Amino acid sequence: MGVDPGLTRCGVGVVEGVAGGPLTMRGVGVVRTPADADLGHRLVAVEQGLEQWLDEYRPEYVAVERVFSQHNVRTVMGTAQASAVAILCASRRGIPVALHTPSEVKAAVTGSGRADKAQVGAMVTRLLRLDAPPKPADAADALALAICHIWRAPAQNRLQQAVARHTSKASRAPHPSKGRTA
Amino acid sequence: MGVDPGLTRCGVGVVEGVAGGPLTMRGVGVVRTPADADLGHRLVAVEQGLEQWLDEYRPEYVAVERVFSQHNVRTVMGTAQASAVAILCASRRGIPVALHTPSEVKAAVTGSGRADKAQVGAMVTRLLRLDAPPKPADAADALALAICHIWRAPAQNRLQQAVARHTSKASRAPHPSKGRTA
């Protein structure tokens, strides 16, 4: 599950697949919070929204966009705080969290770390065999994050998956996972 | 309850009192997380630590230092993310959260927005009638935040308290609060 953090629009995208294999979109959407609400209520709303996504899709990995402070000073704090909530929600459940920079994500899906939004949207559409680019852009970016994670961390994922398989065998998990969902 | 947010040391200080009346320290300490742990585990540890403080002291207000991005770029993200956890924990419980800037806090307790750490520590010691300045500085800063909130927002607090009193009467709360705790 990829999360493009934000207070006004927090993009969420769930992709299943393995590096080198076909990718399938499981879900995509946006958690929104009202711009006129106070920060505390917005953070609680982001938490509640992301908890619903985690409950519904139970992803094996969560990939969150790494926030840099050189961006717009007014919005960067909100983005950092929304990302903290996303990382917290996943970590509390024991789901491994990976952070990827925007340029890593762009490079992963388009081949160029300086690709624009339209190019990222077009490649996400092609890679997931969708009829049209997901909207808003935050939703497409979240899917791109999930794809980036599946492609960039195969060795790391294989190791974590082997551990998870071992653990779930040991605990006789009733729903062994068949694929890799990020 | 004042919170000086941070991942390595998150200062917490609980002060009871009203503007114009004597102030009493109820508790002070620091929530620490290991610098070599990953971000997710650190945020979960901050959450668990703050939840214990909130459970134990049940403050009426939580004051958190407002984070600015013009500070050190490497640490500001961690500070912003720790502050998000503090704001989230309080807001989830319905506790009003106030953000105060470092210079507002310094001005409130020392009279100067540009006072240094030693001056803030000395005034916190005097105002709370302590034997020595609380250490580390993050703990003293958290107490200063709580004092600042009690002094700066009396009108706002009175309004919120009246609402809270009305609500707690309506719900026949078993432990009506006698003072104002921030």
Side-chain angles (χ1 to χ4, degrees), chain A residues 45-87:
Chain A
V46 169
E47 179 184 46
Q48 289 172 343
L50 292 177
E51 287 290 336
Q52 286 177 4
W53 279 88
L54 293 168
D55 280 343
E56 185 169 348
Y57 291 98
R58 310 207 161 270
E60 289 172 60
Y61 305 97
V62 170
V64 181
E65 188 173 297
R66 189 185 291 278
V67 182
F68 287 108
S69 54
Q70 59 261 43
H71 291 150
N72 182 313
V73 168
R74 281 207 53 188
T75 61
V76 75
M77 284 296 124
T79 308
Q81 291 171 320
S83 82
V85 175
I87 296 165

Side-chain angles (χ1 to χ4, degrees), chain B residues 66 99-113 144 148 152:
Chain B
R66 190 185 289 277
L99 303 177
H100 299 289
T101 66
S103 58
E104 282 169 353
V105 175
K106 290 173 187 172
V109 300
T110 75
S112 163
C148 169
R152 273 184 64 96

Side-chain angles (χ1 to χ4, degrees), chain B residues 87-98:
Chain B
I87 296 164
L88 181 69
C89 289
S91 299
R92 239 170 8 202
R93 291 170 182 243
I95 303 171
V97 176

Side-chain angles (χ1 to χ4, degrees), chain A residues 38-41 43-44 47 67-70 73-74 76-77 80-85 87-88 91-92 97 99, chain B residues 38-41 43-44 47 67-70 73-74 76-77 80-85 87-88 91-92 97 99:
Chain A
D38 71 51
L39 178 57
H41 288 114
L43 293 174
V44 171
E47 179 184 46
V67 182
F68 287 108
S69 54
Q70 59 261 43
V73 168
R74 281 207 53 188
V76 75
M77 284 296 124
Q81 291 171 320
S83 82
V85 175
I87 296 165
L88 181 69
S91 298
R92 237 170 10 201
V97 176
L99 303 177
Chain B
D38 71 50
L39 178 59
H41 288 113
L43 293 174
V44 171
E47 180 184 45
V67 183
F68 286 107
S69 56
Q70 59 261 39
V73 169
R74 281 207 54 188
V76 75
M77 283 295 125
Q81 291 170 322
S83 81
V85 174
I87 296 164
L88 181 69
S91 299
R92 239 170 8 202
V97 176
L99 303 177

